[in-house]
Amino acid sequence: MTNLLDPAKTIAGAYQRVCVDLRAMTEVGLYSYHVPPRRRLWIWASDLEQACKDLPLVR
């Protein structure tokens, strides 16, 4: 369960993920929500370099 004693910290943590559009395996950025939820993959920004090695991502 998430500790919501510090909502700002919780929200800031959520915005550390990069969105990938699974239809074209395209990275669309940190704040892109225009991708339909079932076509969206979130990757932690700190893991993006490894994800690019493991997946055929277009940046």
Side-chain angles (χ1 to χ4, degrees), residues 9-49:
K9 185 176 179 180
T10 301
I11 290 170
Y15 287 101
Q16 300 304 309
R17 301 174 298 164
V18 175
C19 182
V20 172
D21 185 336
L22 293 173
R23 296 170 290 191
M25 294 303 288
T26 304
E27 177 191 339
V28 293
L30 286 172
Y31 308 109
S32 298
Y33 294 97
H34 64 275
V35 178
R38 61 187 226 170
R39 303 290 188 219
R40 190 186 298 161
L41 172 68
W42 291 107
I43 299 172
W44 292 110
S46 60
D47 295 332
L48 187 58
E49 185 177 331

